[in-house]
Structure formats: C-alpha cells, structure tokens
Amino acid sequence: MKRGIDTLIPLLVDQLSPGLSALRTADPATSVILMMEVEEEATYVRHHKKKIAFLFAAMRHHAQALRDAGWQVDYVRLDDPDNSGSLTGELARAVERHQPARIIATEAGEWRVRHAMEHWADKFDVSVEIREDDRFIASHAEFDAWADGRKQLRMEFFYREMRRKTGLLLTERGEPEGGQWNFDKENRKPAARDLTMPHPLSFAADDLTQEVIALVADRFADHPGTLDGFDFAVTAADAERQRAHFLRYALPQFGDYQDAMLTDVPFLWHSLLSPYINCGLLDPLDLCRRVEASYRAGHTPLNAAEGFIRQIIGWREYVRGIYWREGPDYTSRNFLDARRPLPAFYWTGQTDMHCMAQAIGQTLQNAYAHHIQRLMVTGNFALLIGADPADVQRWYLEVYADAYEWVEAPNVLGMSQFGDGGLLGSKPYASSGAYIDRMSDYCGHCRYDVKARTGPKACPFNALYWDFLVRNREKLGSNQRLAMPFRNWDRMDADTQRALRAQAKAFLAGLDEG
C-alpha cells in the first residue's frame, strides 16, 4: 500500500485534552488528528439532548483549538452524508483518505469502545498503538496492586494512597492537614434560604454551538431533556473561567453544604465542573492543586478543600479502578435480584413526590443533579422499589452530562443500587423520608407527610424502606451495618409490620399499573 501521512490519531469525545498521551510524541507536520461525530456514540443509549450538544460543541471548538496550535484535523460531522455512523467505520474511511503508516490512540474509557479498538489492528494494514490514558492519577497497574489481596476495596484507604502520591493537603511531615484524612462529618449541614448563594457562570452559545444545537434538535428530538437555556462552557478557556468562579465564590462554603438540597435551587455551592473534567477540558490534578492553594491562602476552610479533593482524587479515581478491574460483566450484576422497570416519571418528572419531581425535573432541564440528589433521592427510590439496576444505570448514563460508563456504572450499580453485593459500599444506601427531610426543604412542599408511615398521605419512602429491608433480609440480614434497623423492625408489633408491608405493596402495585 502506498503510504501517505506518518500518523493518524483518532480522538474520542472524552479526550479533549491538548496533552493527551496519543499526541505527545506526534509531529504535527506529519500527523492527522481524526475527530468524529457518529450516530453510534450518540444513540447507544438515549443521551440527554444537552449532553449531546455539549459534547459535539466542545469537540468542534477543540478541533479549532488544535488547528490553531498547528495540527492537521480531519473532522467528520454527524450530518456528513458519507458518515458511516460508527467509530470504526470512520477510522476505515480516514485510513483510505490518508494512507497512514501507523495509528496511535489513547485508550478508551469504556469497555464497549475498548473492544472495538482492540480489533483495529486486524482490520487495517497499519501498525496500531493504544496508549494508556495518563490523565488519571492511578494507572490500572497501580490500582490493581493496591487492590490485590484486600478482602474489601474501601475508597477511604485508596484515597489516602492518592493523597500520599500527590502530596495534596499533607503537612511537611507527610501527615494529613488538620490531623485527619476525612472531614465528611463536617459537610452535612442543611442549607437555609437566607444564605447568599453564588450562581455558576452561564455561557452564551456562539455560532458554532448554535449549529450543533440545531443539529441535535433535529436528529435527537426523541431523546430526554431539553435544549432550552443551553449555557455550557464548550471551550477550555470558558471551562477555566467556570473553575475560577467556583474557587472564588462557591468553594469556601461547598464543604458545609455539599449534601444540602433546596426547592428550585439546583446548583447551591456545587462546582458544575465534572462535565469539563470528564471530557478533558479541565485537568483534575491541576484543579485539586488550585483548591489546595485556596486553602493554604486562607480563602477556603479545610473541610471544603478536603471534601472537594476527595471527590476527585479519591472517589473519581477509585470508581475508575473498580470499573476496569471488575471487567465488562460488572454492569450486569444484580445481587438483590431486582427486576422492576423504572417508573415512567423518571423521564417526565411528573410525580407527587416533591423530592423526586425536583431532582428529576432539574435533571431533565440541566442534564445535572448533584450527588445527594442522585444517591439519596432518585437512586434511593429506585433501590427501595427494587428497580432493575441495569435500567437504573442506563438512565443515569442517559441523563447526566458528566456520565460515562466507567464513572456511572460503579456509582450507580455499586454504591447506589448495591448490585455488586457490597464491593463498593459496606451497606445499601437505603433511607426513609427522614434523611431527605433533614437535608432539604423538599418535604415541606410535598403533598405527602414525611412523618406518616401508613395511610393515604404517608411519604412513600417510609413504608418502602421497611419493605426493602424485609424482602431482602436473606441477603442483607447478616450485614452488621444494618443490624440496628433489623432490630428495630423486630421490635415492632405484628399489626405495625403488616400495615407497613401492605402500604408498600399497594404503592408498588400502583407503580406496576403505571
């Protein structure tokens, strides 16, 4: 075969980083970067319209930034009439166009795409090199070395290793700042409406982004969510502006109120940076170092800095390690044998449960909800009703702009739905309405009474919580962290137990009837 260019470099949608490993040794004069908008990636689940628009717009702007930096970029738009619709199909067309001597790529973030990439060497008469994604702090080998021989893979201990590796929030003697590794107990305050809250920056859509929005509106009209009010940052510069805004105005109180929820206040003190981190527009370690610098400058309390850093170098790195270590069958696990389909209101937000309507409504509007809304409202409800974890994780993958399978599956299947039987979490994150009432003002706006366990106005979470424990007792009864709830159940009189089970049964029957 007659050779053309030296190197063809395919970039994936979550690889929008100028320092990507595939680019590091390539010569811009003899290389071509291939970027592809393909139907297959936009529709393998029904992604939120704003998620697709954000990623396509970010891709197009990143392509222009690469050109400005001297790279040759071959960009395939979704509406190209010759677009094959798949990553491998578009790579085949690019190989034909450019006749490269070799292909260099950075590894995919999901098993589905990794499997496709593993066959590229067989499909094309060129050398294929797949490089590790070193934008993460822990390599696959490092995580496996930490995990090997451990009976329990608890995030807290892995997080301490990441703190030691990075040096973040350590004293000169290598001890944790403040004398402890974790300040989570200080980060559980409910928020009051008289507090002055910052608001994240909003970015107007330029002409290039407007083209993408129109394309998504036309091609993905049946996908969940809305495009109204699209205001994502779609360039690295604007993502950095959002980062600077968060560090100055929101981070100082992020720690205290990171678990709080308020009606019609979707953002509170949260950063809204995870979509930019996960697609590559922001460097996670650089972000953490800036958070640390804010603490050392006296601008940010330690509990806020530590809580934010823990989410990035602790939890984010940990779930990635779990995802790759456990293998592609991880997403099919269903320890509790939960089979109920998700209720239709997960796609509409139309329910009398105010907490659910708030969390789902914000999700459909913004492609965003913060971690407690995801874990303790929508996730908790799905767990209590016995929703199929495969359906639950598919929903989370669809509706959130920061969702990729490597981060979504362990969070949802493992932590939220206990589908892995306790690999991630030491107990199911199941709760009655009391937790939501404590951390939010939702219950005061709801037609249900959070204090009532039975009757027509009883909060559904209450009876569902006890029903969940009882129907799963064979699998959960030996869990030491659930010993007290089971003792409390056993102390109830038989009439109370029957009433709670009947209340839950009637509610679940109503769900099943639609």
Side-chain angles (χ1 to χ4, degrees):
M1 178 186 292
K2 182 180 178 181
R3 297 300 182 190
I5 64 168
D6 179 69
T7 308
L8 181 64
I9 307 169
L11 295 191
L12 305 180
V13 68
D14 58 348
Q15 297 179 346
L16 309 184
S17 306
L20 196 71
S21 60
L23 301 176
R24 203 162 296 143
T25 59
D27 182 354
T30 59
S31 304
V32 170
I33 295 173
L34 174 66
M35 300 181 69
M36 306 155 278
E37 301 169 1
V38 294
E39 188 84 11
E40 178 182 67
E41 295 305 299
T43 60
Y44 70 93
V45 297
R46 294 172 61 249
H47 297 288
H48 194 297
K49 296 183 186 75
K50 277 184 179 170
K51 180 181 183 180
I52 300 173
F54 159 61
L55 290 172
F56 281 4
M59 286 174 65
R60 293 188 185 189
H61 284 87
H62 186 63
Q64 187 56 55
L66 289 169
R67 293 187 185 103
D68 293 344
W71 291 94
Q72 303 176 66
V73 181
D74 182 353
Y75 195 98
V76 182
R77 296 194 178 202
L78 187 75
D79 52 4
D80 184 328
D82 296 322
N83 191 322
S84 67
S86 73
L87 294 174
T88 299
E90 284 312 297
L91 185 59
R93 292 204 307 129
V95 168
E96 186 65 26
R97 285 194 299 274
H98 300 292
Q99 302 289 293
R102 61 178 179 166
I103 295 170
I104 296 179
T106 294
E107 64 178 333
E110 300 183 357
W111 282 107
R112 178 182 56 84
V113 183
R114 174 184 275 195
H115 288 158
M117 295 175 73
E118 287 172 347
H119 295 288
W120 285 354
D122 298 328
K123 289 180 177 292
F124 308 117
D125 184 25
V126 295
S127 168
V128 177
E129 179 186 353
I130 308 296
R131 295 179 177 174
E132 186 162 357
D133 190 347
D134 56 10
R135 294 175 298 173
F136 292 88
I137 297 165
S139 67
H140 300 308
E142 285 175 317
F143 186 86
D144 289 344
W146 171 81
D148 283 347
R150 293 177 181 264
K151 293 182 179 180
Q152 293 182 322
L153 304 182
R154 294 291 173 251
M155 188 280 291
E156 178 63 27
F157 301 108
F158 172 76
Y159 165 56
R160 295 177 188 182
E161 292 303 311
M162 294 299 96
R163 286 273 294 276
R164 294 185 181 102
K165 179 176 181 178
T166 61
L168 287 164
L169 295 180
L170 296 183
T171 66
E172 291 183 357
R173 297 179 60 184
E175 301 293 329
E177 288 286 348
Q180 61 192 64
W181 294 99
N182 187 317
F183 290 85
D184 194 44
K185 291 182 179 179
E186 298 182 19
N187 296 345
R188 301 171 184 172
K189 296 180 182 178
R193 286 193 171 273
D194 60 353
L195 292 171
T196 301
M197 275 175 270
H199 194 279
L201 297 178
S202 181
F203 300 93
D206 61 12
D207 290 345
L208 193 58
T209 301
Q210 291 285 5
E211 288 180 11
V212 170
I213 291 172
L215 175 69
V216 173
D218 178 56
R219 295 286 291 268
F220 306 104
D222 63 335
H223 282 224
T226 178
L227 288 162
D228 294 343
F230 183 94
D231 62 354
F232 281 84
V234 295
T235 66
D238 281 346
E240 288 167 2
R241 288 178 58 201
Q242 190 74 277
R243 178 202 65 200
H245 183 84
F246 167 69
L247 292 176
R248 180 174 181 181
Y249 296 106
L251 177 62
Q253 290 185 290
F254 165 79
D256 288 352
Y257 303 109
Q258 65 175 282
D259 289 1
M261 298 173 283
L262 289 174
T263 295
D264 296 332
V265 184
F267 306 126
L268 290 94
W269 288 270
H270 290 271
S271 72
L272 274 70
L273 299 180
S274 55
Y276 312 130
I277 297 170
N278 288 353
C279 79
L281 292 179
L282 288 180
D283 182 309
L285 183 56
D286 174 72
L287 172 60
C288 289
R289 296 206 185 285
R290 291 173 186 271
V291 170
E292 180 189 41
S294 181
Y295 158 70
R296 297 199 182 282
H299 180 66
T300 296
L302 180 56
N303 70 309
E306 187 279 320
F308 187 85
I309 287 171
R310 178 166 18 97
Q311 289 188 5
I312 305 299
I313 71 167
W315 192 254
R316 182 175 184 268
E317 294 278 336
Y318 169 76
V319 296
R320 178 184 183 252
I322 291 288
Y323 175 78
W324 288 112
R325 179 177 174 80
E326 292 304 302
D329 70 332
Y330 181 78
T331 59
S332 64
R333 297 180 191 179
N334 190 349
F335 175 73
L336 298 176
D337 196 30
R339 302 295 175 187
R340 179 170 278 107
L342 273 181
F345 58 71
Y346 271 76
W347 286 271
T348 67
Q350 296 174 7
T351 170
D352 288 342
M353 291 177 289
H354 184 68
C355 59
M356 292 289 286
Q358 281 286 303
I360 295 171
Q362 293 171 17
T363 293
L364 296 175
Q365 175 63 39
N366 302 314
Y368 168 83
H370 73 67
H371 65 286
I372 293 299
Q373 291 173 309
R374 300 188 200 194
L375 178 64
M376 298 308 300
V377 181
T378 54
N380 183 23
F381 184 80
L383 175 68
L384 296 183
I385 68 170
D388 189 322
D391 289 346
V392 181
Q393 63 181 311
R394 186 180 303 110
W395 182 78
Y396 279 86
L397 185 57
E398 287 180 353
V399 297
Y400 292 117
D402 59 3
Y404 301 83
E405 190 178 77
W406 66 265
V407 66
E408 170 273 328
N411 268 301
V412 176
L413 181 134
M415 186 179 189
S416 173
Q417 301 303 297
F418 209 67
D420 62 11
L423 180 68
L424 260 75
S426 57
K427 71 176 183 65
Y429 275 83
S431 170
S432 68
Y435 175 86
I436 297 171
D437 188 34
R438 184 167 65 252
M439 295 308 304
S440 77
D441 67 354
Y442 289 162
C443 299
H445 298 268
C446 189
R447 86 161 182 86
Y448 294 107
D449 181 358
V450 71
K451 305 297 184 184
R453 298 191 297 182
T454 59
K457 290 190 175 182
C459 171
F461 280 85
N462 294 337
L464 288 173
Y465 170 72
W466 293 111
D467 186 69
F468 165 79
L469 290 177
V470 175
R471 72 174 185 266
N472 291 295
R473 190 162 194 169
E474 182 178 344
K475 292 185 176 181
L476 299 177
S478 61
N479 188 304
Q480 291 301 307
R481 295 195 65 192
L482 295 176
M484 182 176 292
F486 279 118
R487 283 197 299 268
N488 290 339
W489 171 261
D490 292 338
R491 292 189 188 107
M492 295 180 191
D493 61 76
D495 287 344
T496 300
Q497 290 180 344
R498 280 193 293 269
L500 286 167
R501 296 299 304 276
Q503 180 86 11
K505 182 178 180 180
F507 183 84
L508 294 173
L511 285 184
D512 294 341
E513 293 170 3

